[in-house]
């Protein structure tokens, strides 16, 4: 362009830069906030952990005692695959203790958590499948009862969340669990799903020989799965409060529903009552009644 225009541009460019720096001083570094000591940075994959995880599940399955003649035995597992929140680790321990004390349960704990990587097998889908298969080899599949408690975050799509970075694991689905149970040939099943939207697990798992309990219906979240929660509301109401007063899962579930409703209202849950669900097959009802009577003797 003409010389006056070029001169104007040459003057305006440095003037613009100077004004912008006066209004917003240049910043050549960004402060980094202090690291949160509680933040989850993934599973520690050390040599001792890898060696331990190579044998822990086999050891746990090998330690299961055989059935006793004339008794209904309870075998089972807890499955807590969400590594960053200790509420699921604690719930696994509480449920295991309740099953052992109330039903003489022979329980394998599967937990994904850095605190237990040297002592408990990880809660991966593959380990859950191996556990079901391994228990089926030990138990009397025609007379004994298999108990499973799965606790994690649940999705609206019915998948149970896993968190195990840097391990890559897939969410567990009710269809997948049903296939593993059918493949193992286990006749009598008590299945407990502690997760949001877990009511969607009822239909795929229900059957003549199955009792399924969930912490919520298919449309609502459950409660108490935050990082500061001691237990989920379902875990507390069902396995601490209710089952310590009765050996009936159906009676315990009725009481747990009432307690959860009261506690959710008191806590200010805003998205509606979680509405825990239960389905009991006609066949397993008699088996569980005999199991309860056996424990009361």
């Amino acid at each position: 362009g003409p010389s006056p225009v070029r001169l104007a541009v040459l003057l305006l460019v440095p003037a613009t830069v100077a004004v912008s720096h006066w209004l917003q001083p240049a910043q050549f570094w960004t402060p980094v906030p202090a690291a949160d000591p509680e933040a989850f940075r993934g599973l520690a994959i050390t040599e001792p952990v890898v060696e331990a995880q190579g044998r822990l599940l086999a050891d746990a399955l090998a330690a299961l005692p055989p059935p006793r003649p004339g008794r209904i035995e309870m075998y089972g597992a807890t499955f807590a695959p969400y590594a960053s929140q200790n509420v699921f680790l604690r719930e696994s321990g509480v449920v295991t203790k309740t099953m052992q004390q109330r039903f003489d349960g022979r329980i394998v704990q599967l937990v994904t958590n850095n605190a237990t990587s040297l002592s408990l097998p990880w809660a991966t889908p593959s380990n859950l499948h191996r556990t079901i298969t391994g228990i089926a080899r030990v138990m009397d599949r025609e007379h004994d009862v298999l108990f499973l408690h799965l606790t994690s975050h649940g999705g609206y799509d019915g998948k149970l969340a896993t968190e195990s970075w840097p391990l890559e694991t897939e969410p567990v689905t009710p269809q997948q669990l049903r296939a593993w149970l059918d493949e193992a040939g286990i006749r009598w099943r008590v299945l407990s799903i502690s997760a949001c939207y877990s009511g969607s697990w009822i239909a795929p798992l229900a059957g003549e020989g199955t009792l399924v309990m969930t912490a919520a219906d298919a449309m609502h979240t459950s409660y108490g799965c935050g990082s500061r929660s001691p237990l989920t509301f379902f875990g507390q109401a069902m396995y601490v409060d209710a089952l310590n007063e009765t050996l009936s899962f159906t009676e315990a579930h009725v009481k747990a529903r009432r307690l959860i409703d009261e506690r959710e209202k008191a806590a200010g849950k805003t998205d509606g009552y979680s509405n825990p669900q239960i389905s009991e097959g006609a066949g397993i009802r008699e088996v569980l009644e005999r199991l309860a009577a056996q424990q009361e003797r």
Side-chain angles (χ1 to χ4, degrees), residues 107-127:
I107 309 297
V108 175
Q109 281 186 262
L110 303 177
V111 177
T112 304
N113 193 293
N114 276 321
T116 58
S117 286
L118 293 173
S119 57
L120 295 175
W122 281 330
T124 65
S126 295
N127 275 354

Side-chain angles (χ1 to χ4, degrees), residues 209-268:
T210 303
L211 183 146
V212 191
M213 303 174 291
T214 66
D217 62 24
M219 305 300 293
H220 289 93
T221 61
S222 55
Y223 214 58
C225 54
S227 58
R228 297 183 181 181
S229 302
L231 287 178
T232 68
F233 277 30
F234 180 72
Q236 173 70 36
M238 185 73 195
Y239 294 97
V240 176
D241 301 320
L243 273 178
N244 278 315
E245 295 182 359
T246 178
L247 291 169
S248 165
F249 287 100
T250 53
E251 291 178 8
H253 197 269
V254 169
K255 178 175 181 178
R257 281 177 53 86
R258 185 175 68 253
L259 290 172
I260 290 168
D261 188 24
E262 294 170 356
R263 291 166 183 173
E264 286 180 351
K265 288 175 180 175

Side-chain angles (χ1 to χ4, degrees), residues 65-75 106 135-136 138-147 185-190 209 284 287-288 290-291 294:
R68 292 167 288 185
R71 290 180 60 89
I72 299 172
E73 305 287 8
M74 174 178 282
Y75 290 87
R106 291 99 182 268
I135 289 175
V138 177
M139 70 188 299
D140 182 338
R141 287 175 288 176
E142 285 298 311
H143 298 96
D144 295 336
V145 174
L146 175 72
F147 169 84
I186 299 170
R187 185 176 183 184
W188 309 116
R189 312 164 182 180
V190 174
I284 198 172
V287 175
L288 293 178
R290 286 191 279 121
L291 175 63
Q294 169 187 286

Side-chain angles (χ1 to χ4, degrees), residues 25-50:
Q27 188 171 10
F28 300 103
W29 57 274
T30 302
V32 177
D36 179 2
E38 301 297 323
F40 177 68
R41 294 176 176 81
L43 292 175
I45 311 296
T46 63
E47 184 175 355
V49 166
V50 171

